[in-house]
């Protein structure tokens, strides 16, 4: 069985250089890195991760905390899994059900050296608690994040994305535009509602409180709140939804009310999960780069664990995808 010494001799480098390549260090030149990887492939070398982790007091595990196992997170988790495994880490994925007690129990894994850091998509714990944890371990926020908490995060620009979606409705002739949002305190929710109101104001349209409904991210919530909107004396002719599942419920409520989509009411979702293309009519939506969000979160983790201390904010591009549910 080949050893790290064999790899070093084959590549013409030191064992320390081989170790740096295995740990994805940026201090190794591209040419040297290429030679080491070629030697590893030629010799079919497999590092002894157990003993290496024991020496370095690391687990090579990234704790990934989700609020729930929802369809939205599938693409993000795929991005996390691929990039983490490329770097020699294993993601440990768990749903917290937005329970701060459960989240605290999970973060104790870091102190026990059962995980080396955390990628968090559910900011339930107080920001000061997460910031204190980040002083000792890498804490990366993905999609949802705390402002001014000193934590690295990756997201999209939720404000601009929603402003563009609402403005699209205005450009296509709608003057009665509703929104089905959520009751949570996530920054994405706050920014989307703020952008919705601002887009109305900037286009000379009044904000009508009865047009803004707040529920959950579920199909059932979309159906329930769309029923209320569509049975108003003066119902909206366009409805912007907090996510695609809510939009699916909205379309179902419209059909139940014998309304045509988009002729009688246009519906737009958010996220561009797989269901968006499967609905009839197909759903217009704001697309998030889900896999890239997950992969970038791992990149931020790798930078942090390599010694970078200053927080990094990354906003990835979104896309307005127009399909058959809007006119």
């Amino acid at each position: 069985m080949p050893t790290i010494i064999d790899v070093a001799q084959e590549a013409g480098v030191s064992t320390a250089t081989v170790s740096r390549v295995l740990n994805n260090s940026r201090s190794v030149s591209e040419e040297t890195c290429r030679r080491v990887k070629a030697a590893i492939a030629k010799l079919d070398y497999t590092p002894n991760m157990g003993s290496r982790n024991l020496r370095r007091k690391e687990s090579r595990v990234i704790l990934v905390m989700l609020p729930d196992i929802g369809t939205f997170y599938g693409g993000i988790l795929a991005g996390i899994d691929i990039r983490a495994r490329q770097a020699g880490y294993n993601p440990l994925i768990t749903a917290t059900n937005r329970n701060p007690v459960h989240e605290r129990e999970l973060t104790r894994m870091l102190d026990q050296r059962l995980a080396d850091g955390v990628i968090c998509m559910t900011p339930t714990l107080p920001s000061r608690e997460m910031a204190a944890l980040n002083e000792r371990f890498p804490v990366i926020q993905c999609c949802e994040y705390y402002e001014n908490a000193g934590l690295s995060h990756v997201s999209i620009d939720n404000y601009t994305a929603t402003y563009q979606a609402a403005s699209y409705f205005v450009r296509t002739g709608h003057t009665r535009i509703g929104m089905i949002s959520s009751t949570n305190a996530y920054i994405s929710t706050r920014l989307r509602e703020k952008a919705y109101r601002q887009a109305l104001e900037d286009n000379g349209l009044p904000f009508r409180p009865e047009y803004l409904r707040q529920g959950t991210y579920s199909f059932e919530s979309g159906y329930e709140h769309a029923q209320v909107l569509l049975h108003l004396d003066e119902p909206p002719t366009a409805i912007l939804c907090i996510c695609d599942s809510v939009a699916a419920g909205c379309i179902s409520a419209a059909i139940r009310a014998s309304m045509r989509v988009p002729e009688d009411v246009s519906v737009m979702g958010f996220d561009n999960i797989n269901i968006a293309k499967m609905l009839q009519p197909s759903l217009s939506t704001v697309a998030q780069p889900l896999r890239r969000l997950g992969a970038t979160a791992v990149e931020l983790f790798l930078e942090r664990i390599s010694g970078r201390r200053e927080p990094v904010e990354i906003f990835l591009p979104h896309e307005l995808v127009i399909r058959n549910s809007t006119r």
Side-chain angles (χ1 to χ4, degrees):
M1 180 179 295
T3 68
I4 193 171
I5 297 175
D6 298 324
V7 173
Q9 290 176 344
E10 176 69 26
V13 299
S14 67
T15 55
T17 298
V18 176
S19 179
R20 282 193 287 270
V21 171
L22 290 171
N23 286 288
N24 298 289
S25 172
R26 295 185 176 183
S27 63
V28 183
S29 72
E30 186 175 337
E31 171 59 24
T32 300
C33 186
R34 185 193 62 76
R35 292 208 320 271
V36 170
K37 288 182 177 179
I40 290 171
K42 178 179 178 180
L43 299 175
D44 195 22
Y45 170 70
T46 302
N48 187 333
M49 299 300 292
S51 33
R52 185 177 75 171
N53 295 351
L54 184 62
R55 288 195 306 272
R56 297 182 58 182
K57 296 183 179 179
E58 62 180 12
S59 66
R60 307 297 289 187
V61 170
I62 305 174
L63 177 63
V64 181
M65 296 197 302
L66 314 175
D68 55 61
I69 305 297
T71 54
F72 166 70
Y73 296 106
I76 296 174
L77 293 177
I80 288 174
D81 183 71
I82 292 170
R83 184 64 190 96
R85 293 184 185 280
Q86 286 174 345
Y89 285 86
N90 292 301
L92 177 60
I93 299 163
T94 182
T96 69
N97 297 310
R98 302 177 178 85
N99 185 333
V101 174
H102 188 195
E103 289 187 14
R104 288 190 185 96
E105 290 174 350
L106 288 169
T107 56
R108 291 193 189 103
M109 294 178 63
L110 303 177
D111 285 315
Q112 297 167 353
R113 302 295 178 181
L114 298 176
D116 299 328
V118 58
I119 294 174
C120 180
M121 282 172 261
T122 165
T124 302
L125 293 176
S127 59
R128 63 181 183 280
E129 204 168 320
M130 297 294 283
L133 186 67
N134 187 56
E135 289 297 314
R136 297 181 294 124
F137 306 100
V139 176
I140 308 301
Q141 294 197 300
C142 181
C143 298
E144 306 297 338
Y145 58 92
Y146 291 116
E147 292 181 291
N148 305 316
L151 302 174
S152 291
H153 66 82
V154 57
S155 179
I156 66 164
D157 185 340
N158 283 281
Y159 181 91
T160 299
T162 307
Y163 189 95
Q164 290 173 349
S167 297
Y168 169 81
F169 280 145
V170 177
R171 290 199 310 274
T172 52
H174 295 280
T175 58
R176 303 201 307 269
I177 303 168
M179 181 178 189
I180 303 177
S181 184
S182 176
T183 56
N184 63 53
Y186 289 170
I187 189 168
S188 65
T189 301
R190 299 198 307 271
L191 290 173
R192 292 177 196 180
E193 289 186 10
K194 181 180 179 181
Y196 161 71
R197 291 183 182 225
Q198 191 63 51
L200 295 179
E201 180 180 329
D202 289 350
N203 286 282
L205 299 176
F207 168 68
R208 299 175 62 162
E210 69 272 23
Y211 280 5
L212 176 60
R213 305 287 303 179
Q214 295 170 315
T216 67
Y217 290 104
S218 68
F219 174 95
E220 292 78 12
S221 180
Y223 184 90
E224 172 191 345
H225 289 287
Q227 279 191 317
V228 174
L229 290 173
L230 296 174
H231 286 88
L232 292 172
D233 291 338
E234 196 174 26
T237 61
I239 300 175
L240 177 60
C241 298
I242 193 76
C243 69
D244 291 340
S245 296
V246 167
C250 183
I251 289 175
S252 182
I255 293 172
R256 181 65 181 272
S258 299
M259 300 181 72
R260 298 167 301 164
V261 179
E263 291 83 359
D264 298 319
V265 59
S266 289
V267 178
M268 185 174 295
F270 209 105
D271 297 334
N272 198 32
I273 60 175
N274 287 336
I275 193 177
K277 294 178 287 188
M278 302 174 188
L279 291 172
Q280 290 298 325
S282 58
L283 182 64
S284 295
T285 186
V286 176
Q288 297 202 57
L290 300 179
R291 289 197 176 212
R292 191 175 167 195
L293 283 165
T296 303
V298 176
E299 292 291 347
L300 291 174
F301 166 84
L302 295 173
E303 287 189 10
R304 176 71 170 77
I305 209 163
S306 296
R308 180 168 186 163
R309 300 295 299 182
E310 64 272 19
V312 179
E313 295 183 331
I314 297 177
F315 294 95
L316 298 180
H318 60 273
E319 180 185 1
L320 195 61
V321 178
I322 302 303
R323 297 193 178 101
N324 296 331
S325 67
T326 56
R327 61 166 177 82

